[in-house]
Amino acid sequence: KQWYQRRVRGERVKCLLQMQTDRDKRVGKYKGPIDVIRKTYREGGIRQVGRGTLVTGLRDVPGSGLFFILYEAIVQKYGNSPTTITVAGGISGILMWFVGIPPDVIKTRYQTAPQGKYKSSLQIIPELYKSEGLGGFYKGFGPSGIRAFLANGICLLTYDLVMKTLERLHPLTAPISISHSANEY
């Protein structure tokens, strides 16, 4: 749980730094990540620093779950050639962001809103729908989908090629199992 909370806090820091305007930078609103943490902590304590944790989980958990389910289904059906692995990773990445972009839009608006504007990230949903319709929940999906296809396809292909190379260089002589202790090998 701790690694995820650190990652989520990092997500908030990233959003606040990205939302800085040129004027904000000149005035010195935030000088960097540590300054963001220091100032948001002063504004509202640790809850302010970790604002948006739940909605970040709503973005990451279902999207990542569907990513691996679809990836495995494609590879099992069509084989594990480099092309299949790349395409499966890319398509899975697009699905991940199709599911994850609405919570991401909500999360970003919540994390970057002035303190006190929203009591909950749920308040953003009707406001966003009323002002921008369903399309407002998918802002940024085009670039995210393209990036997801490329990044996930290349990442999984690279992982597969590295693992196959390592297996050729150092074949396993006994199956690895977490149920056995290390001294049994």
Side-chain angles (χ1 to χ4, degrees):
K1 187 177 176 180
Q2 287 180 342
W3 67 267
Y4 189 74
Q5 288 176 338
R6 282 192 301 271
R7 179 176 177 264
V8 169
R9 289 186 187 114
E11 182 79 16
R12 172 101 201 277
V13 169
K14 176 192 71 129
C15 285
L16 290 172
L17 285 171
Q18 287 177 336
M19 296 299 289
Q20 267 191 135
T21 63
D22 288 336
R23 183 186 171 284
D24 290 338
K25 290 175 191 171
R26 283 193 305 274
V27 187
K29 184 171 182 177
Y30 299 120
K31 294 178 179 84
I34 301 298
D35 193 41
V36 171
I37 293 168
R38 190 177 299 125
K39 287 178 178 174
T40 54
Y41 184 81
R42 251 187 253 133
E43 287 175 15
I46 196 69
R47 289 182 61 112
Q48 184 70 4
V49 176
R51 189 163 112 187
T53 300
L54 179 62
V55 75
T56 302
L58 292 174
R59 175 196 69 186
D60 292 349
V61 173
S64 296
L66 288 172
F67 172 87
F68 286 109
I69 289 169
L70 181 60
Y71 173 77
E72 284 298 321
I74 292 171
V75 170
Q76 285 185 14
K77 181 170 180 153
Y78 297 103
N80 64 350
S81 72
T83 302
T84 302
I85 289 169
T86 305
V87 171
I91 291 171
S92 300
I94 290 172
L95 175 66
M96 179 179 72
W97 276 107
F98 184 77
V99 170
I101 205 85
D104 190 62
V105 169
I106 294 165
K107 171 202 69 72
T108 301
R109 288 181 184 226
Y110 184 62
Q111 289 181 325
T112 59
Q115 184 180 359
K117 181 172 181 179
Y118 302 112
K119 289 183 181 178
S120 162
S121 59
L122 294 175
Q123 291 178 295
I124 295 167
I125 296 169
E127 178 185 288
L128 178 60
Y129 185 75
K130 186 178 179 182
S131 65
E132 299 180 43
L134 193 57
F137 292 94
Y138 284 90
K139 273 192 167 175
F141 177 67
S144 293
I146 293 167
R147 183 197 69 220
F149 186 90
L150 297 170
N152 289 287
I154 292 167
C155 180
L156 288 169
L157 175 63
T158 302
Y159 173 81
D160 187 67
L161 293 173
V162 167
M163 291 305 293
K164 286 177 181 173
T165 301
L166 291 174
E167 286 172 12
R168 275 195 302 271
L169 294 173
H170 187 69
L172 292 175
T173 55
I176 295 176
S177 171
I178 59 171
S179 63
H180 298 295
S181 65
N183 60 4
E184 286 181 86
Y185 295 111

